[in-house]
Amino acid sequence: MGLTILIADDTETDRLILRTIVNKLGHRVIIATDGAEAIDLYQQECPELVLLDVMMPNVDGLEAARQIKALAGEELVPIIFLTSLTDAESLARCLDVGGDDFLSKPYNATILRAKINAFNRMRVMHNTLQEQRDKIVEHNQYLLHEQTVAKEIFDKVAHSGCLNAPNLRAVQSPFAIFNGDIVVAARKPSGGMMVLLGDFAGHGLPAAIGAMPLAEIFYGMINKGFSMPEVLAEINNKLKKVLPVSSFCCAVMVDLDFTSKLVKLWIGGLPDCYLYRNCTGEFEALTSQHLPLGILGAQKFNAEYQLIEMANDDRLLLMSDGVIEAQDEAKQFFGVERLQQVFKQNNQIDSLFEEIRKSVFSFIGEPTDDLTMVEVMMVPPETFADEDEVFEVSAARGAQNWAVNFEFRPETLRNYNPIPLVLHCLMEIPGLGLHNSKLYTILSELYSNALEHGVLQMSSSLKHSSQGFTEYYAERESRLRRLAQGYIRFALNHVPTEQGGFVQIRVEDSGPGFDYQQLQNMKGDQLFHGRGISLLRSFCQQVTYLGKGNCVEVVFSWTND
């Protein structure tokens, strides 16, 4: 496709020669006889290429080139000077004002065609780059808008607790819009406080995504009165399920009791935390004893914590690895030694937190990693006197003393396992979350006995051999399909105590029962054949058979620690 080419020359002969050559090349030609006319025609016709004589009346070629380039803006309009000049200074001045090349007189059609084609390719490439740049800018603005909205949602979820409490100070320096570090803090219904600093592997949005379920679980469970081990176990289980294999969350969690002055501390994968004793002025290093959250499965996860006594004005310094591993321009780490040097130079403990922050930032200049520090101070309970009224314990912890009954009839027994429903009800009790495996086993044993030996009246004697097991379960399925009457009743009774609580589980079936009095004198698992009595007794504080043997009541107790 031909171009529109502006030819500006005050010599008629030269204009005629150039017009002829350019027309033969298939391009459209517009003619100007001086620089002023060339500028006017450029504004009117917007040519893609300009052939410009240097020496012209009114406005010379140099000034015309300067104005045409200014009018073109970001668009590439190649200007080829037509000149008989040969001295280097004149040619350099042509380039300085915006010229892109020269064409010496007398004109050579072959060279002119080559230059026009070359600059046209350059112009097309320039336009393509501009279009791609504009698309990138537009896309980047769209992403920034999305990130801004997402950041607002993230902040509302992750920072909805009590980070502004008078005994807390925190500083976060995100390496990107989203922070791979998270700090959450919440008051407990009992009046204490829990604080968690998490450091997800990686940076930015991928790392921050894991903070959302962490914060939801943290605030939701603490408001309901769940203990620190329960909260940690639930967060670990959730992160184990949702995070990629290579991702995890190093964390430290603190549970403060402002009345007893006891602090529970769990550290998984983070650098040492420091405890400042106000009475001695000394710092104690507290080392991680666990793997980060999201690595181990529920069965292997260990929520065991360190128990520390803290006096009023004692402080805990928690920090992500971004503090110790902060690097200067020479790639040197800030390190533990520099941190401890700040400790030694401090004369006023209230200013220590700010001194650490200034020391780290003056060392690194611009942060290259997420960097987070938290200071937690032990204070008298009266510090929160104005806030305690917001905690309505009965509402925050749910029902404190309750009972509930279920009755499952044939239509249900034939096609539905009610254990998850009953277990879900029990899991709403603060403190029981860590015992869900035992409770599931207890409920399963009770339900199986009630269904198979009570409602279906099956005999365990069939299970004496492997073939007998097959026959037993085949008969079980057959009787279940034909089941037309009967029931199994669950009665749950939850009673809280100061240390935790206990729950009574009574299971009654519609069967004929059995002679449970014989159990009083029996020993050995073989004598409890088919009823799992020994297993129930190992988990429960009490196992009692009632009535004609078709009703059993167990008591399971626990402490919040």
Side-chain angles (χ1 to χ4, degrees):
M1 183 176 178
L3 304 176
T4 298
I5 297 178
L6 170 63
I7 298 173
D9 198 315
D10 61 333
T11 305
E12 183 176 358
T13 305
D14 288 344
R15 291 198 302 269
L16 180 61
I17 295 171
L18 285 170
R19 177 198 291 269
T20 303
I21 296 173
V22 173
N23 278 336
K24 285 185 177 178
L25 295 176
H27 302 298
R28 173 175 171 255
V29 174
I30 52 178
I31 295 293
T33 57
D34 57 36
E37 189 179 4
I39 296 169
D40 291 340
L41 285 174
Y42 175 80
Q43 292 176 287
Q44 297 169 20
E45 301 287 343
C46 298
E48 284 104 354
L49 191 145
V50 178
L51 301 177
L52 198 60
D53 190 14
V54 177
M55 307 298 291
M56 290 188 292
N58 297 326
V59 176
D60 65 15
L62 298 178
E63 179 58 25
R66 189 180 292 111
Q67 293 193 35
I68 288 173
K69 283 291 185 181
L71 291 169
E74 292 186 342
E75 186 178 355
L76 177 60
V77 180
I79 295 178
I80 300 175
F81 276 107
L82 310 169
T83 180
S84 56
L85 300 174
T86 56
D87 61 292
E89 186 176 345
S90 299
L91 296 176
R93 195 161 58 247
C94 292
L95 296 179
D96 290 341
V97 299
D100 297 287
D101 203 351
F102 312 98
L103 184 65
S104 300
K105 298 178 181 179
Y107 305 123
N108 183 297
T110 302
I111 293 176
L112 179 57
R113 183 182 64 237
K115 287 181 182 288
I116 291 174
N117 291 339
F119 278 109
N120 187 43
R121 290 194 297 271
M122 188 183 302
R123 189 184 61 82
V124 171
M125 183 181 299
H126 176 83
N127 292 341
T128 302
L129 289 174
Q130 277 194 314
E131 289 174 4
Q132 292 176 342
R133 180 205 61 183
D134 293 343
K135 288 181 180 178
I136 291 172
V137 170
E138 183 181 358
H139 185 63
N140 187 54
Q141 289 174 341
Y142 177 74
L143 289 178
L144 287 175
H145 174 71
E146 280 194 330
Q147 289 190 359
T148 301
V149 175
K151 181 73 164 53
E152 186 176 346
I153 297 172
F154 174 83
D155 287 342
K156 286 181 179 178
V157 173
H159 303 146
S160 60
C162 62
L163 286 174
N164 58 349
N167 67 321
L168 286 180
R169 280 196 283 184
V171 59
Q172 285 184 276
S173 174
F175 184 49
I177 290 181
F178 287 98
N179 198 334
D181 291 355
I182 181 172
V183 179
V184 285
R187 295 291 307 283
K188 300 191 297 181
S190 61
M193 176 183 290
M194 290 197 204
V195 181
L196 186 148
L197 187 162
D199 180 1
F200 284 86
H203 308 287
L205 182 58
I209 286 175
M212 299 288 280
L214 184 152
E216 288 276 16
I217 293 170
F218 180 86
Y219 290 123
M221 293 188 71
I222 290 177
N223 285 338
K224 293 178 180 177
F226 285 92
S227 67
M228 186 175 82
E230 289 175 296
V231 177
L232 281 168
E234 187 64 23
I235 292 174
N236 177 73
N237 293 343
K238 187 67 175 180
L239 296 183
K240 173 69 175 172
K241 291 178 182 175
V242 303
L243 293 181
V245 175
S246 59
S247 188
F248 50 84
C249 178
C250 300
V252 53
M253 188 165 178
V254 182
D255 181 353
L256 298 103
D257 188 325
F258 299 113
T259 302
S260 67
K261 305 303 177 189
L262 291 176
V263 174
K264 299 168 185 173
L265 179 71
W266 184 96
I267 312 174
L270 277 182
D272 287 353
C273 300
Y274 291 90
L275 169 62
Y276 171 78
R277 298 284 189 188
N278 193 50
C279 61
T280 63
E282 294 180 349
F283 291 88
E284 299 174 17
L286 303 167
T287 303
S288 169
Q289 297 177 333
H290 302 282
L291 289 174
L293 298 168
I295 292 179
L296 297 175
Q299 299 300 324
K300 294 183 178 179
F301 178 71
N302 186 353
E304 186 176 344
Y305 50 80
Q306 306 175 52
L307 193 61
I308 303 167
E309 289 188 46
M310 289 177 64
N312 286 339
D313 296 329
D314 286 354
R315 299 157 196 253
L316 274 171
L317 287 170
L318 321 175
M319 56 194 74
S320 65
D321 60 8
V323 177
I324 302 300
E325 297 176 2
Q327 293 181 334
D328 62 7
E329 293 181 352
K331 302 299 181 184
Q332 290 183 317
F333 291 123
F334 181 75
V336 175
E337 291 184 2
R338 286 186 176 84
L339 177 66
Q340 293 180 341
Q341 189 64 30
V342 178
F343 291 169
K344 291 179 181 176
Q345 294 173 351
N346 172 258
N347 296 319
Q348 174 51 254
I349 191 61
D350 286 337
S351 61
L352 176 64
F353 188 79
E354 184 62 17
E355 290 173 4
I356 296 172
R357 190 191 69 81
K358 288 182 177 178
S359 179
V360 173
F361 279 86
S362 64
F363 178 77
I364 62 176
E366 292 293 328
T368 56
D369 192 4
D370 296 327
L371 188 157
T372 301
M373 291 193 305
V374 179
E375 181 188 78
V376 185
M377 184 168 63
M378 179 61 75
V379 293
E382 296 76 27
T383 305
F384 306 99
D386 295 339
E387 303 175 13
D388 285 343
E389 60 185 13
V390 304
F391 288 94
E392 298 178 7
V393 175
S394 61
R397 294 178 62 87
Q400 292 296 293
N401 193 336
W402 53 267
V404 63
N405 297 320
F406 296 94
E407 180 174 295
F408 301 106
R409 301 177 184 124
E411 293 82 358
T412 298
L413 298 176
R414 284 199 301 267
N415 305 305
Y416 178 71
N417 178 6
I419 299 304
L421 172 64
V422 179
L423 184 64
H424 177 75
C425 183
L426 292 174
M427 288 301 97
E428 290 298 310
I429 300 174
L432 272 185
L434 294 176
H435 307 286
N436 62 340
S437 179
K438 286 183 179 178
L439 283 166
Y440 182 83
T441 302
I442 293 169
L443 292 173
S444 297
E445 279 296 323
L446 294 172
Y447 178 70
S448 294
N449 285 335
L451 178 66
E452 296 173 7
H453 305 306
V455 177
L456 301 180
Q457 300 183 35
M458 302 280 294
S459 172
S460 294
S461 59
L462 283 174
K463 295 190 285 188
H464 283 162
S465 64
S466 58
Q467 184 178 357
F469 268 94
T470 304
E471 294 176 0
Y472 180 89
Y473 286 104
E475 179 63 21
R476 179 182 184 276
E477 290 302 311
S478 174
R479 294 190 185 191
L480 259 183
R481 287 195 298 272
R482 300 195 307 270
L483 185 65
Q485 60 182 5
Y487 61 82
I488 295 177
R489 293 170 179 157
F490 277 81
L492 310 179
N493 181 28
H494 165 230
V495 178
T497 64
E498 290 186 2
Q499 294 76 30
F502 65 86
V503 60
Q504 294 170 314
I505 306 173
R506 177 179 292 192
V507 180
E508 179 186 353
D509 62 68
S510 57
F514 74 106
D515 186 6
Y516 61 87
Q517 297 294 341
Q518 295 181 10
L519 297 176
Q520 303 298 326
N521 301 318
M522 290 181 175
K523 296 180 179 178
D525 290 345
Q526 72 280 8
L527 299 178
F528 303 140
H529 179 75
R531 299 260 176 190
I533 305 298
S534 58
L535 181 62
L536 290 175
R537 283 179 172 167
S538 69
F539 286 163
C540 302
Q541 279 61 54
Q542 186 178 323
V543 178
T544 307
Y545 280 89
L546 304 168
K548 56 184 181 181
N550 66 332
C551 181
V552 60
E553 181 178 281
V554 301
V555 176
F556 182 85
S557 64
W558 70 95
T559 62
N560 287 330
D561 290 337

